[in-house]
Amino acid sequence: MTDWTETYRPTTLSEVRGNNKARDQLEEWAESWDDHRKSVIVHGSPGVGKTSAAHALANDMGWPVMELNASDSRGADVIERIAGEAAKSGTLTGGESGRRLVILDEADNFHGNADYGGSREVTRVVKDANQPIVLVANEFYDMSQSLRNSCETIEFRDVSKRSIVPVLRDICRREGVDFEEEALEKIAESTSGDLRSAVNDLQAVAEETERLTVEDVVTSERDTTEGIFDFLDELIKEKDAEGALRASYDVDETPDDLLNWIEDNVPKDYEGAELADAYGFLSNADRWLGRVRATQDYSYWRYATDNMTAGVAASRRGDKGGWTRYGPPSYWSKLGRTKGTRNTRDSIAERIAEREGASVATARREILPFLSAMTHHCKNRDLTVRMAAAYDLDEADVSFVTGSGKDTNKVASIVEDADELKTTEAVEHSGNAFFTPDDSRSDADETTDGEPNGDDEDGDQNEQRTLTVPEDDDSERSATASDRSASDDSATADEPADDQSGLSDFM
Ligand SMILES: Nc1ncnc2c1ncn2[C@@H]1O[C@H](COP(=O)(O)OP(=O)(O)OP(=O)(O)O)[C@@H](O)[C@H]1O
């Protein structure tokens, strides 16, 4: 059976769904390339169509493609030869115009890796290019600043459920699969903005059934996640080090995902010294995973797995009983997985901790994810400005917390306003915690209203602070601070960690 993600890969830009703005920008970039001669970085989460868009663009423009993948090629000379030559040569077998499109996939993996010549080499090639180059990356900030500065930037957002469903519907029709509309919605919902996963899930379920129903989707979800819940129980509560390692062999998760699952759930049962020890092992595991990413040497996975399983089990002190509500890893914890983002995250968490009188761990695991959800894409501008002022956030920080592009005017103007706000008395002398999302309503004006009204006279009837959190271009979701105390099993792309206790407990 052919892979549907390949069969239904967009061949023209108009088939790239859910990122209209980015798509238009890409087209514009290509059409005006002769005038500006800049390369472009296309970045965003996995499976949202970045690489497909680059290929579709080449197709639309009639440009042959030359693709280079960071992990396939070893050594600076290879980069030089392929990207350099291709970039310089206007006469190679190009299209009618002599143009060809160079696609540098996994461009965030070149960074700091001597084997690949590091990012300096790439930056040089990219700067000197005589042909258009698209650099595709998941992690914008894993690329060096000079590389980022020498390129235009286009962000691909997670694909909204609303955009995913029609893609699935279309595939079903073309494959002759009968379906319940709701089943498609369920798939779209559970794949959190990743269109490739949605298509994969659709294919997996559709192959097992005559008519695709919601029940099929739910059953298949349960089958794939049941294993992990049993494993967490064994790891966290029951098995010794060796048993935990063995149990992990049966779990159908990548080490990266497994680490996220463990990291998010271990604090539900461990505390104090045992938790600190467990985190120590998890951060070792994380380092090994980083090494795998940097070198593509998968033999390091073993050390990562040893640490996250045997290490965590060995950290346990005393018996653990009872039933624990484990939950899937949050989008947020996945974000902390790379060095660049982790450093930014930790430095912001430290500032939050200081101001709020909370521990850094609480700031990182509880407060920051919450703020991130509330200021998603800076839509709640007023709140974002106040937050930036309260925690001294610069543009990179604001971009990190909100998910907005760092170089956007929006982020720059927020930081400017925050600087201004910092000089006003209100903030200087407040000394109050900025973050008070509990129900005490003691200083409602410090936190937020949904409107960017800029005045401070709203210490009124804020019974419940309702914040409108935009999900993406075409849909909106609302959340209230106190809603967050209620446990919610479903982790979606932009929701913070499932926090059983409610944030107010930590304040
Ligand atoms: N926006 C989209 N519109 C249509 N199909 C898409 C889109 N995004 C992803 N797909 C489907 O998912 C597959 C994988 O997409 P693609 O490889 O382009 O994603 P990506 O963002 O480059 O991910 P990665 O960073 O993991 O390479 C495509 O072949 C296509 O089937």
Side-chain angles (χ1 to χ4, degrees):
M1 185 120 183
T2 54
D3 178 347
W4 287 359
T5 60
E6 285 311 320
T7 314
Y8 298 104
R9 188 179 277 281
T11 53
T12 158
L13 272 181
S14 59
E15 288 168 7
V16 174
R17 311 296 284 269
N19 263 297
N20 296 358
K21 188 169 150 226
R23 196 183 64 190
D24 294 348
Q25 286 173 331
L26 193 60
E27 191 169 25
E28 230 173 272
W29 166 81
E31 280 168 354
S32 58
W33 190 83
D34 270 329
D35 305 330
H36 57 69
R37 303 206 134 225
K38 274 188 138 183
S39 301
V40 68
I41 294 173
V42 171
H43 68 101
S45 307
V48 296
K50 304 178 297 295
T51 314
S52 301
H55 282 275
L57 171 76
N59 204 16
D60 289 350
M61 300 294 291
W63 294 345
V65 169
M66 169 157 274
E67 186 165 5
L68 179 70
N69 186 317
S71 51
D72 296 342
S73 46
R74 308 256 153 190
D77 50 327
V78 178
I79 294 179
E80 175 71 63
R81 211 171 64 235
I82 303 182
E85 256 183 32
K88 289 239 164 84
S89 164
T91 53
L92 273 174
T93 54
E96 267 171 45
S97 59
R99 285 266 161 277
R100 45 171 44 211
L101 184 69
V102 179
I103 301 177
L104 227 47
D105 217 343
E106 297 177 27
D108 43 356
N109 277 345
F110 287 107
H111 178 54
N113 186 335
D115 281 348
Y116 301 120
S119 63
R120 203 177 303 161
E121 253 340 75
V122 181
T123 308
R124 189 173 58 73
V125 169
V126 162
K127 270 191 175 154
D128 288 349
N130 278 332
Q131 293 283 11
I133 301 184
V134 176
L135 296 97
V136 179
N138 291 332
E139 299 289 343
F140 187 59
Y141 291 106
D142 275 7
M143 288 176 286
S144 73
Q145 194 169 11
S146 58
L147 181 57
R148 286 186 268 127
N149 287 345
S150 52
C151 296
E152 283 188 25
T153 303
I154 298 178
E155 182 187 2
F156 270 64
R157 304 255 191 92
D158 292 354
V159 185
S160 69
K161 182 180 149 191
R162 210 186 280 191
S163 299
I164 291 180
V165 171
V167 175
L168 303 182
R169 199 185 296 131
D170 191 43
I171 294 177
C172 283
R173 294 206 174 117
R174 289 161 74 175
E175 290 288 329
V177 173
D178 202 10
F179 61 91
E180 273 179 17
E181 181 74 14
E182 222 183 306
L184 305 186
E185 281 174 16
K186 190 95 196 140
I187 292 175
E189 221 161 70
S190 66
T191 42
S192 309
D194 175 345
L195 191 37
R196 182 194 0 240
S197 298
V199 174
N200 278 332
D201 288 2
L202 174 71
Q203 182 167 15
V205 187
E207 277 174 356
E208 301 290 322
T209 179
E210 290 283 297
R211 177 163 196 275
L212 196 65
T213 64
V214 185
E215 190 48 38
D216 294 329
V217 178
V218 173
T219 311
S220 112
E221 270 173 8
R222 205 177 305 126
D223 286 351
T224 48
T225 49
E226 213 157 43
I228 183 79
F229 289 115
D230 288 344
F231 167 71
L232 286 173
D233 239 351
E234 291 176 338
L235 167 72
I236 295 174
K237 294 185 182 159
E238 294 161 15
K239 300 269 188 200
D240 63 7
E242 203 194 322
L245 176 62
R246 283 233 193 82
S248 73
Y249 299 154
D250 295 331
V251 180
D252 190 18
E253 296 282 340
T254 66
D256 288 84
D257 288 341
L258 194 59
L259 179 61
N260 289 325
W261 276 95
I262 298 170
E263 193 179 69
D264 272 22
N265 286 293
V266 87
K268 294 176 182 172
D269 290 310
Y270 287 16
E271 55 186 15
E274 59 183 353
L275 184 58
D277 286 354
Y279 278 154
F281 285 110
L282 291 173
S283 81
N284 287 342
D286 197 26
R287 269 199 291 280
W288 286 112
L289 291 177
R291 223 159 282 181
V292 173
R293 275 191 294 271
T295 61
Q296 303 291 314
D297 180 347
Y298 293 93
S299 60
Y300 295 137
W301 265 358
R302 238 205 85 201
Y303 305 119
T305 309
D306 280 353
N307 272 286
M308 70 179 95
T309 59
V312 167
S315 309
R316 190 190 317 123
R317 319 257 209 281
D319 291 338
K320 308 270 173 230
W323 182 82
T324 309
R325 176 197 287 274
Y326 297 123
S330 63
Y331 173 68
W332 184 262
S333 70
K334 292 182 208 158
L335 246 192
R337 281 277 79 81
T338 67
K339 183 163 53 79
T341 53
R342 203 164 42 236
N343 290 345
T344 309
R345 178 192 67 182
D346 291 349
S347 115
I348 300 171
E350 276 166 27
R351 277 168 278 162
I352 294 179
E354 196 177 320
R355 167 108 191 216
E356 308 298 346
S359 74
V360 175
T362 299
R364 183 159 72 84
R365 310 182 72 81
E366 309 293 340
I367 304 177
L368 197 44
F370 184 84
L371 288 172
S372 175
M374 295 299 106
T375 60
H376 192 55
H377 287 303
C378 308
K379 284 285 166 63
N380 191 334
R381 192 174 186 286
D382 187 43
L383 175 65
T384 312
V385 169
R386 287 154 181 261
M387 172 182 75
Y391 304 130
D392 250 340
L393 306 184
D394 65 14
E395 286 167 18
D397 298 335
V398 172
S399 158
F400 176 77
V401 179
T402 61
S404 289
K406 173 173 166 275
D407 300 322
T408 57
N409 294 338
K410 188 165 58 179
V411 167
S413 82
I414 281 170
V415 172
E416 260 169 42
D417 288 0
D419 286 342
E420 208 169 292
L421 190 60
K422 274 187 266 185
T423 62
T424 68
E425 278 209 338
V427 173
E428 215 161 50
H429 298 300
S430 71
N432 290 335
F434 164 76
F435 183 71
T436 53
D438 60 8
D439 287 351
S440 63
R441 299 172 193 113
S442 52
D443 55 351
D445 57 331
E446 269 295 308
T447 321
T448 171
D449 44 61
E451 304 295 321
N453 59 10
D455 72 46
D456 276 340
E457 293 169 11
D458 57 342
D460 49 43
Q461 54 295 337
N462 271 10
E463 278 292 299
Q464 236 190 9
R465 293 161 227 159
T466 304
L467 308 175
T468 302
V469 185
E471 203 166 47
D472 54 32
D473 292 333
D474 44 34
S475 66
E476 291 207 328
R477 172 170 68 85
S478 277
T480 62
S482 43
D483 277 344
R484 292 278 151 193
S485 328
S487 176
D488 175 1
D489 279 342
S490 62
T492 62
D494 32 23
E495 272 177 357
D498 167 23
D499 88 88
Q500 326 146 295
S501 46
L503 290 158
S504 48
D505 294 355
F506 293 91
M507 296 294 96

